[in-house]
Amino acid sequence: MSTFKQITDFDGSRDAHGQQARVEDTRAAAGDFRKAMLAGPKARYFRSFDLVRVPYPSRYGLRNAFSREKWVEYLHIQNRLFVVQFDTPEGTKTMLVSPSDHERGGETPFFRRLQDKNPEVLSNLIVKRQSTVPEIIAAIGLKPEDIDYITYDHLHTQDVRRWLGTNMEPAVFPNAKLLVHWREWESTLDLNPYQADWYCPNGIAGIPEDKVIKFDGSIMLGDGVALVHTPGHTEGNHSIVVHTDEGIWVTSENGVSVDAYAPELSTASGVAEYAKTLGTEVIINGNTLENSVDQYISMVQEKTIAGPSQRDPRFPNMFPSSEMTPFWAFPGTKPAFYVGEAHHGTLTLPK
C-alpha cells in the first residue's frame, strides 16, 4: 500500500444533512478531481475484451424504468474484461479489471435458479460465452505471472479462487493481488440473505491473506489510474478511473448502460419518459438496493469525473463493466448509446 496515494478530494462531500446537497457537494468535488486527473499523466494501456453476455432482469438494470412495458422482462448485459497498464515508482504494473470467471460465477444463487428453470433456452440461445480470461491474456502476449493486480468494482457473482489460489488449488495468476475496498471484503464475508443471492458461494474462501490488499476511501494506483469509492450498489463499490487519449473512462456497475447516466436521451422503452416523470438525472442498477441514496450520488460523481464522451458529447464517458446490449429476443432494450469497445496505448510485454 505504500505506493498508493490516498485521494482526499471527496472527504466530507457526503456529510450535508440534505440529500440533494450531498449530490451537489460530491459533484463539485468530482469536478475538481477530474481537472486534476486530466492535468496528470495517462495510463500506458487500456483495452476492453468481451467475456460473456447474460440475461438480467430489466426491473433491476434500469430500476423500474421499464415498469410500464411489462413485456420487457429481461435485458442483455455484456460482461467484459479490461486490461490496464500504468507506471508507478516501482515500475510498470498490469491490472485486470473485472476478470470474471464466468464458468464458476454461474453458481451465484440468482443465476443458478435462472439456469435451472430454463437450462436449454439459456445455454443455447440467451447466454453467449465469447472468451475466458486466460485465453485473452495469452492472445495479447501476456503470461499469467505478468499480472500484478486484479480488481472488481464490487464482488457480485465473482469467484476469485482460481485466479488467486487457495490451499486446495494453485493460482492461475501467481503474482496477482486483489485490490478491494475493505467494506466490500468484510460484507462478502458476512452477507444477509438478500445480498447473498448475488454473491458466488465461497467465492473468496481460502484465499491467502497476503493475496488481498484492502484499501479505504479512494486511491491513486499510479499514472492515470485511480480507484474511487462509489458506494451504494454495494457498501464497498468502487469505480475504476483511467486517463486515456479518449479522455477519462470510468468503469463500474452502478449503472448498466450509458443511458442510465443520461436517461433523458435514452431510446430504451419507457426510460426517457420515466426519467422525465421523476426528474432524475440517473437511473440506478438496483438488484440489491443496499443504499439507493448513496448510489444516486455515486452515479453523479462518476459521470462528472468521466466528462463528455468524445464519441458523442451528449453522453458521459462511462464504460459500464456490464453494459446493456441490443438483443433481438429482448425488444425495447436497445440503448441510445453503446460503448462496445475501447483500445488505447501500447501494451508493454515484460522481458
Side-chain angles (χ1 to χ4, degrees), residues 44-85:
R44 182 178 286 269
Y45 179 79
F46 176 91
R47 187 176 177 184
S48 65
F49 300 87
D50 292 347
L51 285 175
V52 62
R53 288 204 306 261
V54 296
Y56 188 60
S58 58
R59 68 185 183 275
Y60 297 150
L62 288 162
R63 184 71 189 184
N64 295 329
F66 289 108
S67 60
R68 296 183 185 181
E69 306 287 345
K70 296 185 183 300
W71 48 271
V72 184
E73 185 176 359
Y74 289 97
L75 52 85
H76 232 190
I77 51 175
Q78 174 67 63
N79 179 249
R80 296 189 178 93
L81 167 71
F82 301 85
V83 180
V84 182
Q85 209 171 57

mmCIF file of all heavy atoms in Angstrom, residues 44-85:
data_model
loop_
_atom_site.group_PDB
_atom_site.id
_atom_site.type_symbol
_atom_site.label_atom_id
_atom_site.label_comp_id
_atom_site.label_asym_id
_atom_site.label_seq_id
_atom_site.Cartn_x
_atom_site.Cartn_y
_atom_site.Cartn_z
ATOM 1 N N ARG A 44 -0.685 3.817 -19.440
ATOM 2 C CA ARG A 44 0.111 3.299 -20.561
ATOM 3 C C ARG A 44 -0.775 2.521 -21.556
ATOM 4 O O ARG A 44 -0.556 2.572 -22.771
ATOM 5 C CB ARG A 44 1.209 2.394 -20.001
ATOM 6 C CG ARG A 44 2.151 1.811 -21.022
ATOM 7 C CD ARG A 44 3.211 0.968 -20.337
ATOM 8 N NE ARG A 44 4.201 1.807 -19.665
ATOM 9 C CZ ARG A 44 5.319 2.237 -20.219
ATOM 10 N NH1 ARG A 44 5.595 1.922 -21.475
ATOM 11 N NH2 ARG A 44 6.169 2.969 -19.535
ATOM 12 N N TYR A 45 -1.793 1.801 -21.025
ATOM 13 C CA TYR A 45 -2.586 0.900 -21.872
ATOM 14 C C TYR A 45 -3.946 0.684 -21.243
ATOM 15 O O TYR A 45 -4.074 0.540 -20.022
ATOM 16 C CB TYR A 45 -1.844 -0.425 -21.998
ATOM 17 C CG TYR A 45 -2.506 -1.508 -22.826
ATOM 18 C CD1 TYR A 45 -2.455 -1.496 -24.218
ATOM 19 C CD2 TYR A 45 -3.152 -2.579 -22.208
ATOM 20 C CE1 TYR A 45 -3.025 -2.521 -24.979
ATOM 21 C CE2 TYR A 45 -3.728 -3.610 -22.954
ATOM 22 C CZ TYR A 45 -3.661 -3.578 -24.344
ATOM 23 O OH TYR A 45 -4.217 -4.590 -25.076
ATOM 24 N N PHE A 46 -4.976 0.667 -22.092
ATOM 25 C CA PHE A 46 -6.346 0.381 -21.654
ATOM 26 C C PHE A 46 -7.054 -0.305 -22.802
ATOM 27 O O PHE A 46 -7.117 0.219 -23.916
ATOM 28 C CB PHE A 46 -7.073 1.681 -21.291
ATOM 29 C CG PHE A 46 -8.528 1.500 -20.906
ATOM 30 C CD1 PHE A 46 -8.880 1.293 -19.587
ATOM 31 C CD2 PHE A 46 -9.544 1.565 -21.867
ATOM 32 C CE1 PHE A 46 -10.221 1.144 -19.218
ATOM 33 C CE2 PHE A 46 -10.874 1.426 -21.509
ATOM 34 C CZ PHE A 46 -11.210 1.207 -20.183
ATOM 35 N N ARG A 47 -7.596 -1.497 -22.546
ATOM 36 C CA ARG A 47 -8.305 -2.215 -23.606
ATOM 37 C C ARG A 47 -9.398 -3.091 -23.010
ATOM 38 O O ARG A 47 -9.213 -3.700 -21.948
ATOM 39 C CB ARG A 47 -7.334 -3.069 -24.419
ATOM 40 C CG ARG A 47 -7.977 -3.710 -25.648
ATOM 41 C CD ARG A 47 -6.948 -4.457 -26.477
ATOM 42 N NE ARG A 47 -7.576 -5.125 -27.618
ATOM 43 C CZ ARG A 47 -6.929 -5.920 -28.463
ATOM 44 N NH1 ARG A 47 -5.622 -6.132 -28.294
ATOM 45 N NH2 ARG A 47 -7.569 -6.495 -29.474
ATOM 46 N N SER A 48 -10.529 -3.121 -23.689
ATOM 47 C CA SER A 48 -11.655 -3.947 -23.259
ATOM 48 C C SER A 48 -11.746 -5.212 -24.099
ATOM 49 O O SER A 48 -11.364 -5.228 -25.276
ATOM 50 C CB SER A 48 -12.965 -3.156 -23.390
ATOM 51 O OG SER A 48 -13.236 -2.860 -24.750
ATOM 52 N N PHE A 49 -12.268 -6.276 -23.477
ATOM 53 C CA PHE A 49 -12.444 -7.564 -24.153
ATOM 54 C C PHE A 49 -13.771 -8.174 -23.705
ATOM 55 O O PHE A 49 -14.073 -8.201 -22.506
ATOM 56 C CB PHE A 49 -11.309 -8.532 -23.794
ATOM 57 C CG PHE A 49 -9.941 -8.048 -24.163
ATOM 58 C CD1 PHE A 49 -9.209 -7.253 -23.289
ATOM 59 C CD2 PHE A 49 -9.371 -8.392 -25.381
ATOM 60 C CE1 PHE A 49 -7.943 -6.803 -23.611
ATOM 61 C CE2 PHE A 49 -8.099 -7.959 -25.722
ATOM 62 C CZ PHE A 49 -7.387 -7.157 -24.835
ATOM 63 N N ASP A 50 -14.532 -8.683 -24.647
ATOM 64 C CA ASP A 50 -15.813 -9.312 -24.324
ATOM 65 C C ASP A 50 -15.597 -10.687 -23.708
ATOM 66 O O ASP A 50 -14.787 -11.487 -24.195
ATOM 67 C CB ASP A 50 -16.669 -9.455 -25.585
ATOM 68 C CG ASP A 50 -17.144 -8.115 -26.125
ATOM 69 O OD1 ASP A 50 -17.032 -7.108 -25.400
ATOM 70 O OD2 ASP A 50 -17.631 -8.089 -27.275
ATOM 71 N N LEU A 51 -16.366 -10.970 -22.651
ATOM 72 C CA LEU A 51 -16.290 -12.265 -21.979
ATOM 73 C C LEU A 51 -17.557 -13.094 -22.175
ATOM 74 O O LEU A 51 -17.514 -14.217 -22.660
ATOM 75 C CB LEU A 51 -16.035 -12.076 -20.476
ATOM 76 C CG LEU A 51 -14.633 -11.684 -20.043
ATOM 77 C CD1 LEU A 51 -14.605 -11.424 -18.541
ATOM 78 C CD2 LEU A 51 -13.628 -12.770 -20.403
ATOM 79 N N VAL A 52 -18.703 -12.532 -21.756
ATOM 80 C CA VAL A 52 -19.944 -13.300 -21.804
ATOM 81 C C VAL A 52 -21.133 -12.348 -21.773
ATOM 82 O O VAL A 52 -21.070 -11.283 -21.141
ATOM 83 C CB VAL A 52 -20.014 -14.305 -20.613
ATOM 84 C CG1 VAL A 52 -20.001 -13.581 -19.277
ATOM 85 C CG2 VAL A 52 -21.234 -15.225 -20.721
ATOM 86 N N ARG A 53 -22.207 -12.713 -22.503
ATOM 87 C CA ARG A 53 -23.465 -11.972 -22.427
ATOM 88 C C ARG A 53 -24.480 -12.826 -21.684
ATOM 89 O O ARG A 53 -24.634 -14.020 -21.969
ATOM 90 C CB ARG A 53 -23.997 -11.633 -23.818
ATOM 91 C CG ARG A 53 -23.221 -10.564 -24.528
ATOM 92 C CD ARG A 53 -24.064 -9.845 -25.579
ATOM 93 N NE ARG A 53 -24.675 -10.756 -26.535
ATOM 94 C CZ ARG A 53 -24.197 -11.005 -27.745
ATOM 95 N NH1 ARG A 53 -23.067 -10.440 -28.134
ATOM 96 N NH2 ARG A 53 -24.827 -11.822 -28.567
ATOM 97 N N VAL A 54 -25.182 -12.194 -20.749
ATOM 98 C CA VAL A 54 -26.152 -12.931 -19.937
ATOM 99 C C VAL A 54 -27.430 -12.109 -19.790
ATOM 100 O O VAL A 54 -27.414 -10.880 -19.916
ATOM 101 C CB VAL A 54 -25.586 -13.246 -18.532
ATOM 102 C CG1 VAL A 54 -24.389 -14.172 -18.611
ATOM 103 C CG2 VAL A 54 -25.223 -11.968 -17.786
ATOM 104 N N PRO A 55 -28.561 -12.760 -19.498
ATOM 105 C CA PRO A 55 -29.797 -12.018 -19.244
ATOM 106 C C PRO A 55 -29.795 -11.425 -17.840
ATOM 107 O O PRO A 55 -29.182 -11.978 -16.918
ATOM 108 C CB PRO A 55 -30.878 -13.092 -19.386
ATOM 109 C CG PRO A 55 -30.189 -14.358 -18.990
ATOM 110 C CD PRO A 55 -28.763 -14.218 -19.457
ATOM 111 N N TYR A 56 -30.489 -10.317 -17.698
ATOM 112 C CA TYR A 56 -30.560 -9.615 -16.415
ATOM 113 C C TYR A 56 -31.940 -8.953 -16.348
ATOM 114 O O TYR A 56 -32.370 -8.336 -17.330
ATOM 115 C CB TYR A 56 -29.444 -8.569 -16.357
ATOM 116 C CG TYR A 56 -29.245 -7.877 -15.036
ATOM 117 C CD1 TYR A 56 -28.919 -8.588 -13.888
ATOM 118 C CD2 TYR A 56 -29.356 -6.486 -14.937
ATOM 119 C CE1 TYR A 56 -28.704 -7.939 -12.685
ATOM 120 C CE2 TYR A 56 -29.142 -5.829 -13.738
ATOM 121 C CZ TYR A 56 -28.820 -6.570 -12.608
ATOM 122 O OH TYR A 56 -28.609 -5.918 -11.414
ATOM 123 N N PRO A 57 -32.645 -9.082 -15.237
ATOM 124 C CA PRO A 57 -33.992 -8.518 -15.163
ATOM 125 C C PRO A 57 -33.991 -7.004 -15.409
ATOM 126 O O PRO A 57 -33.232 -6.264 -14.778
ATOM 127 C CB PRO A 57 -34.436 -8.850 -13.738
ATOM 128 C CG PRO A 57 -33.635 -10.061 -13.367
ATOM 129 C CD PRO A 57 -32.298 -9.841 -14.019
ATOM 130 N N SER A 58 -34.836 -6.544 -16.302
ATOM 131 C CA SER A 58 -34.884 -5.119 -16.624
ATOM 132 C C SER A 58 -35.363 -4.296 -15.431
ATOM 133 O O SER A 58 -34.997 -3.131 -15.297
ATOM 134 C CB SER A 58 -35.793 -4.880 -17.828
ATOM 135 O OG SER A 58 -37.096 -5.365 -17.578
ATOM 136 N N ARG A 59 -36.154 -4.918 -14.548
ATOM 137 C CA ARG A 59 -36.639 -4.185 -13.367
ATOM 138 C C ARG A 59 -35.486 -3.820 -12.437
ATOM 139 O O ARG A 59 -35.623 -2.930 -11.601
ATOM 140 C CB ARG A 59 -37.694 -5.006 -12.630
ATOM 141 C CG ARG A 59 -37.179 -6.271 -11.969
ATOM 142 C CD ARG A 59 -38.323 -7.089 -11.350
ATOM 143 N NE ARG A 59 -37.849 -8.259 -10.647
ATOM 144 C CZ ARG A 59 -37.583 -9.430 -11.222
ATOM 145 N NH1 ARG A 59 -37.726 -9.557 -12.534
ATOM 146 N NH2 ARG A 59 -37.170 -10.460 -10.515
ATOM 147 N N TYR A 60 -34.356 -4.528 -12.571
ATOM 148 C CA TYR A 60 -33.164 -4.204 -11.805
ATOM 149 C C TYR A 60 -32.235 -3.286 -12.599
ATOM 150 O O TYR A 60 -31.746 -2.281 -12.083
ATOM 151 C CB TYR A 60 -32.384 -5.472 -11.440
ATOM 152 C CG TYR A 60 -33.100 -6.450 -10.550
ATOM 153 C CD1 TYR A 60 -32.839 -7.818 -10.640
ATOM 154 C CD2 TYR A 60 -34.040 -6.028 -9.619
ATOM 155 C CE1 TYR A 60 -33.485 -8.726 -9.818
ATOM 156 C CE2 TYR A 60 -34.697 -6.936 -8.800
ATOM 157 C CZ TYR A 60 -34.420 -8.285 -8.904
ATOM 158 O OH TYR A 60 -35.061 -9.183 -8.107
ATOM 159 N N GLY A 61 -31.960 -3.663 -13.844
ATOM 160 C CA GLY A 61 -30.932 -2.986 -14.625
ATOM 161 C C GLY A 61 -31.158 -1.496 -14.764
ATOM 162 O O GLY A 61 -30.245 -0.694 -14.562
ATOM 163 N N LEU A 62 -32.376 -1.115 -15.148
ATOM 164 C CA LEU A 62 -32.774 0.300 -15.166
ATOM 165 C C LEU A 62 -33.970 0.383 -14.239
ATOM 166 O O LEU A 62 -35.115 0.219 -14.645
ATOM 167 C CB LEU A 62 -33.107 0.759 -16.586
ATOM 168 C CG LEU A 62 -31.874 0.898 -17.484
ATOM 169 C CD1 LEU A 62 -32.244 0.923 -18.954
ATOM 170 C CD2 LEU A 62 -31.117 2.171 -17.131
ATOM 171 N N ARG A 63 -33.684 0.621 -13.008
ATOM 172 C CA ARG A 63 -34.603 0.389 -11.892
ATOM 173 C C ARG A 63 -36.008 0.936 -12.150
ATOM 174 O O ARG A 63 -36.229 2.151 -12.114
ATOM 175 C CB ARG A 63 -34.021 1.007 -10.613
ATOM 176 C CG ARG A 63 -34.845 0.746 -9.361
ATOM 177 C CD ARG A 63 -34.753 -0.713 -8.936
ATOM 178 N NE ARG A 63 -35.698 -1.024 -7.878
ATOM 179 C CZ ARG A 63 -35.770 -2.208 -7.274
ATOM 180 N NH1 ARG A 63 -34.945 -3.161 -7.625
ATOM 181 N NH2 ARG A 63 -36.648 -2.446 -6.347
ATOM 182 N N ASN A 64 -36.948 0.026 -12.440
ATOM 183 C CA ASN A 64 -38.374 0.325 -12.622
ATOM 184 C C ASN A 64 -38.697 1.143 -13.872
ATOM 185 O O ASN A 64 -39.869 1.447 -14.107
ATOM 186 C CB ASN A 64 -38.950 1.040 -11.393
ATOM 187 C CG ASN A 64 -38.940 0.170 -10.161
ATOM 188 O OD1 ASN A 64 -39.063 -1.051 -10.251
ATOM 189 N ND2 ASN A 64 -38.757 0.781 -8.993
ATOM 190 N N ALA A 65 -37.699 1.523 -14.660
ATOM 191 C CA ALA A 65 -37.971 2.368 -15.823
ATOM 192 C C ALA A 65 -38.761 1.625 -16.892
ATOM 193 O O ALA A 65 -39.459 2.247 -17.693
ATOM 194 C CB ALA A 65 -36.664 2.892 -16.418
ATOM 195 N N PHE A 66 -38.687 0.292 -16.902
ATOM 196 C CA PHE A 66 -39.432 -0.498 -17.871
ATOM 197 C C PHE A 66 -40.796 -0.933 -17.316
ATOM 198 O O PHE A 66 -41.481 -1.727 -17.926
ATOM 199 C CB PHE A 66 -38.650 -1.764 -18.239
ATOM 200 C CG PHE A 66 -37.439 -1.512 -19.077
ATOM 201 C CD1 PHE A 66 -36.166 -1.643 -18.540
ATOM 202 C CD2 PHE A 66 -37.544 -1.151 -20.410
ATOM 203 C CE1 PHE A 66 -35.032 -1.429 -19.310
ATOM 204 C CE2 PHE A 66 -36.423 -0.933 -21.195
ATOM 205 C CZ PHE A 66 -35.170 -1.067 -20.640
ATOM 206 N N SER A 67 -41.206 -0.393 -16.179
ATOM 207 C CA SER A 67 -42.383 -0.906 -15.480
ATOM 208 C C SER A 67 -43.670 -0.767 -16.278
ATOM 209 O O SER A 67 -44.595 -1.549 -16.116
ATOM 210 C CB SER A 67 -42.544 -0.209 -14.126
ATOM 211 O OG SER A 67 -42.688 1.185 -14.301
ATOM 212 N N ARG A 68 -43.739 0.223 -17.178
ATOM 213 C CA ARG A 68 -44.951 0.387 -17.971
ATOM 214 C C ARG A 68 -44.983 -0.552 -19.172
ATOM 215 O O ARG A 68 -45.985 -0.668 -19.852
ATOM 216 C CB ARG A 68 -45.069 1.840 -18.447
ATOM 217 C CG ARG A 68 -45.233 2.830 -17.293
ATOM 218 C CD ARG A 68 -45.426 4.237 -17.808
ATOM 219 N NE ARG A 68 -45.473 5.190 -16.714
ATOM 220 C CZ ARG A 68 -45.652 6.494 -16.883
ATOM 221 N NH1 ARG A 68 -45.796 6.988 -18.096
ATOM 222 N NH2 ARG A 68 -45.687 7.298 -15.847
ATOM 223 N N GLU A 69 -43.858 -1.162 -19.453
ATOM 224 C CA GLU A 69 -43.767 -2.093 -20.578
ATOM 225 C C GLU A 69 -43.454 -3.469 -19.989
ATOM 226 O O GLU A 69 -42.342 -3.956 -20.035
ATOM 227 C CB GLU A 69 -42.659 -1.652 -21.550
ATOM 228 C CG GLU A 69 -42.779 -0.230 -22.039
ATOM 229 C CD GLU A 69 -43.921 -0.078 -23.037
ATOM 230 O OE1 GLU A 69 -44.416 -1.105 -23.538
ATOM 231 O OE2 GLU A 69 -44.310 1.059 -23.321
ATOM 232 N N LYS A 70 -44.471 -4.100 -19.438
ATOM 233 C CA LYS A 70 -44.245 -5.299 -18.638
ATOM 234 C C LYS A 70 -43.706 -6.473 -19.445
ATOM 235 O O LYS A 70 -43.158 -7.417 -18.887
ATOM 236 C CB LYS A 70 -45.540 -5.694 -17.923
ATOM 237 C CG LYS A 70 -46.005 -4.637 -16.924
ATOM 238 C CD LYS A 70 -47.209 -5.109 -16.144
ATOM 239 C CE LYS A 70 -47.714 -4.028 -15.196
ATOM 240 N NZ LYS A 70 -46.733 -3.607 -14.230
ATOM 241 N N TRP A 71 -43.817 -6.405 -20.760
ATOM 242 C CA TRP A 71 -43.291 -7.494 -21.579
ATOM 243 C C TRP A 71 -41.774 -7.428 -21.697
ATOM 244 O O TRP A 71 -41.148 -8.366 -22.145
ATOM 245 C CB TRP A 71 -43.931 -7.472 -22.969
ATOM 246 C CG TRP A 71 -43.948 -6.133 -23.622
ATOM 247 C CD1 TRP A 71 -44.922 -5.185 -23.523
ATOM 248 C CD2 TRP A 71 -42.938 -5.568 -24.447
ATOM 249 N NE1 TRP A 71 -44.592 -4.065 -24.247
ATOM 250 C CE2 TRP A 71 -43.386 -4.272 -24.825
ATOM 251 C CE3 TRP A 71 -41.706 -6.016 -24.917
ATOM 252 C CZ2 TRP A 71 -42.627 -3.430 -25.649
ATOM 253 C CZ3 TRP A 71 -40.964 -5.176 -25.735
ATOM 254 C CH2 TRP A 71 -41.427 -3.907 -26.090
ATOM 255 N N VAL A 72 -41.193 -6.308 -21.314
ATOM 256 C CA VAL A 72 -39.735 -6.203 -21.323
ATOM 257 C C VAL A 72 -39.228 -6.735 -19.981
ATOM 258 O O VAL A 72 -38.953 -5.993 -19.060
ATOM 259 C CB VAL A 72 -39.273 -4.748 -21.550
ATOM 260 C CG1 VAL A 72 -37.755 -4.694 -21.662
ATOM 261 C CG2 VAL A 72 -39.908 -4.175 -22.792
ATOM 262 N N GLU A 73 -39.137 -8.045 -19.872
ATOM 263 C CA GLU A 73 -38.775 -8.665 -18.595
ATOM 264 C C GLU A 73 -37.271 -8.714 -18.378
ATOM 265 O O GLU A 73 -36.792 -8.556 -17.253
ATOM 266 C CB GLU A 73 -39.356 -10.078 -18.515
ATOM 267 C CG GLU A 73 -39.132 -10.744 -17.168
ATOM 268 C CD GLU A 73 -39.794 -12.105 -17.070
ATOM 269 O OE1 GLU A 73 -40.441 -12.530 -18.048
ATOM 270 O OE2 GLU A 73 -39.663 -12.747 -16.010
ATOM 271 N N TYR A 74 -36.523 -8.934 -19.460
ATOM 272 C CA TYR A 74 -35.076 -9.054 -19.340
ATOM 273 C C TYR A 74 -34.384 -8.118 -20.322
ATOM 274 O O TYR A 74 -34.949 -7.709 -21.340
ATOM 275 C CB TYR A 74 -34.623 -10.492 -19.631
ATOM 276 C CG TYR A 74 -34.997 -11.476 -18.555
ATOM 277 C CD1 TYR A 74 -36.135 -12.253 -18.681
ATOM 278 C CD2 TYR A 74 -34.220 -11.614 -17.413
ATOM 279 C CE1 TYR A 74 -36.495 -13.162 -17.688
ATOM 280 C CE2 TYR A 74 -34.563 -12.509 -16.415
ATOM 281 C CZ TYR A 74 -35.704 -13.280 -16.562
ATOM 282 O OH TYR A 74 -36.053 -14.177 -15.576
ATOM 283 N N LEU A 75 -33.157 -7.792 -19.996
ATOM 284 C CA LEU A 75 -32.261 -7.143 -20.944
ATOM 285 C C LEU A 75 -30.987 -7.985 -21.001
ATOM 286 O O LEU A 75 -30.802 -8.900 -20.198
ATOM 287 C CB LEU A 75 -31.984 -5.694 -20.529
ATOM 288 C CG LEU A 75 -31.503 -5.414 -19.089
ATOM 289 C CD1 LEU A 75 -30.001 -5.578 -18.965
ATOM 290 C CD2 LEU A 75 -31.896 -4.001 -18.679
ATOM 291 N N HIS A 76 -30.158 -7.722 -21.969
ATOM 292 C CA HIS A 76 -28.897 -8.431 -22.133
ATOM 293 C C HIS A 76 -27.779 -7.545 -21.604
ATOM 294 O O HIS A 76 -27.708 -6.364 -21.957
ATOM 295 C CB HIS A 76 -28.645 -8.710 -23.618
ATOM 296 C CG HIS A 76 -28.346 -10.139 -23.912
ATOM 297 N ND1 HIS A 76 -27.893 -10.569 -25.136
ATOM 298 C CD2 HIS A 76 -28.414 -11.264 -23.150
ATOM 299 C CE1 HIS A 76 -27.719 -11.879 -25.116
ATOM 300 N NE2 HIS A 76 -28.031 -12.317 -23.926
ATOM 301 N N ILE A 77 -26.896 -8.088 -20.780
ATOM 302 C CA ILE A 77 -25.716 -7.331 -20.365
ATOM 303 C C ILE A 77 -24.460 -8.042 -20.861
ATOM 304 O O ILE A 77 -24.348 -9.262 -20.791
ATOM 305 C CB ILE A 77 -25.634 -7.102 -18.838
ATOM 306 C CG1 ILE A 77 -25.808 -8.399 -18.045
ATOM 307 C CG2 ILE A 77 -26.625 -6.051 -18.398
ATOM 308 C CD1 ILE A 77 -25.609 -8.215 -16.548
ATOM 309 N N GLN A 78 -23.558 -7.226 -21.401
ATOM 310 C CA GLN A 78 -22.266 -7.718 -21.893
ATOM 311 C C GLN A 78 -21.226 -7.529 -20.801
ATOM 312 O O GLN A 78 -20.913 -6.412 -20.405
ATOM 313 C CB GLN A 78 -21.842 -6.947 -23.143
ATOM 314 C CG GLN A 78 -20.450 -7.284 -23.658
ATOM 315 C CD GLN A 78 -20.342 -8.692 -24.193
ATOM 316 O OE1 GLN A 78 -20.997 -9.041 -25.163
ATOM 317 N NE2 GLN A 78 -19.525 -9.526 -23.556
ATOM 318 N N ASN A 79 -20.717 -8.644 -20.312
ATOM 319 C CA ASN A 79 -19.676 -8.598 -19.287
ATOM 320 C C ASN A 79 -18.320 -8.562 -19.963
ATOM 321 O O ASN A 79 -18.066 -9.290 -20.920
ATOM 322 C CB ASN A 79 -19.791 -9.824 -18.379
ATOM 323 C CG ASN A 79 -18.738 -9.860 -17.305
ATOM 324 O OD1 ASN A 79 -17.852 -10.685 -17.329
ATOM 325 N ND2 ASN A 79 -18.816 -8.945 -16.367
ATOM 326 N N ARG A 80 -17.414 -7.713 -19.444
ATOM 327 C CA ARG A 80 -16.119 -7.506 -20.099
ATOM 328 C C ARG A 80 -14.957 -7.590 -19.118
ATOM 329 O O ARG A 80 -15.098 -7.352 -17.918
ATOM 330 C CB ARG A 80 -16.076 -6.126 -20.769
ATOM 331 C CG ARG A 80 -17.071 -5.971 -21.898
ATOM 332 C CD ARG A 80 -16.814 -4.676 -22.651
ATOM 333 N NE ARG A 80 -17.752 -4.567 -23.775
ATOM 334 C CZ ARG A 80 -18.911 -3.941 -23.714
ATOM 335 N NH1 ARG A 80 -19.279 -3.359 -22.592
ATOM 336 N NH2 ARG A 80 -19.695 -3.880 -24.771
ATOM 337 N N LEU A 81 -13.823 -7.898 -19.690
ATOM 338 C CA LEU A 81 -12.531 -7.773 -19.018
ATOM 339 C C LEU A 81 -11.846 -6.526 -19.548
ATOM 340 O O LEU A 81 -11.896 -6.247 -20.748
ATOM 341 C CB LEU A 81 -11.663 -9.000 -19.318
ATOM 342 C CG LEU A 81 -10.176 -8.887 -18.958
ATOM 343 C CD1 LEU A 81 -9.976 -8.911 -17.455
ATOM 344 C CD2 LEU A 81 -9.387 -10.018 -19.631
ATOM 345 N N PHE A 82 -11.211 -5.777 -18.659
ATOM 346 C CA PHE A 82 -10.387 -4.630 -19.050
ATOM 347 C C PHE A 82 -8.950 -4.908 -18.615
ATOM 348 O O PHE A 82 -8.716 -5.297 -17.464
ATOM 349 C CB PHE A 82 -10.872 -3.345 -18.382
ATOM 350 C CG PHE A 82 -12.302 -2.994 -18.696
ATOM 351 C CD1 PHE A 82 -13.346 -3.539 -17.954
ATOM 352 C CD2 PHE A 82 -12.614 -2.123 -19.733
ATOM 353 C CE1 PHE A 82 -14.663 -3.219 -18.239
ATOM 354 C CE2 PHE A 82 -13.923 -1.795 -20.021
ATOM 355 C CZ PHE A 82 -14.959 -2.341 -19.276
ATOM 356 N N VAL A 83 -8.025 -4.731 -19.521
ATOM 357 C CA VAL A 83 -6.601 -4.847 -19.190
ATOM 358 C C VAL A 83 -6.036 -3.434 -19.136
ATOM 359 O O VAL A 83 -6.148 -2.676 -20.103
ATOM 360 C CB VAL A 83 -5.841 -5.703 -20.220
ATOM 361 C CG1 VAL A 83 -4.361 -5.793 -19.845
ATOM 362 C CG2 VAL A 83 -6.456 -7.102 -20.316
ATOM 363 N N VAL A 84 -5.449 -3.082 -17.996
ATOM 364 C CA VAL A 84 -4.931 -1.738 -17.773
ATOM 365 C C VAL A 84 -3.464 -1.840 -17.359
ATOM 366 O O VAL A 84 -3.106 -2.649 -16.504
ATOM 367 C CB VAL A 84 -5.734 -1.009 -16.670
ATOM 368 C CG1 VAL A 84 -5.220 0.411 -16.478
ATOM 369 C CG2 VAL A 84 -7.222 -0.998 -16.999
ATOM 370 N N GLN A 85 -2.641 -0.992 -17.967
ATOM 371 C CA GLN A 85 -1.220 -0.949 -17.610
ATOM 372 C C GLN A 85 -0.847 0.495 -17.297
ATOM 373 O O GLN A 85 -1.263 1.422 -18.001
ATOM 374 C CB GLN A 85 -0.382 -1.485 -18.769
ATOM 375 C CG GLN A 85 0.924 -2.125 -18.357
ATOM 376 C CD GLN A 85 1.605 -2.834 -19.518
ATOM 377 O OE1 GLN A 85 1.884 -2.219 -20.546
ATOM 378 N NE2 GLN A 85 1.893 -4.128 -19.365
#
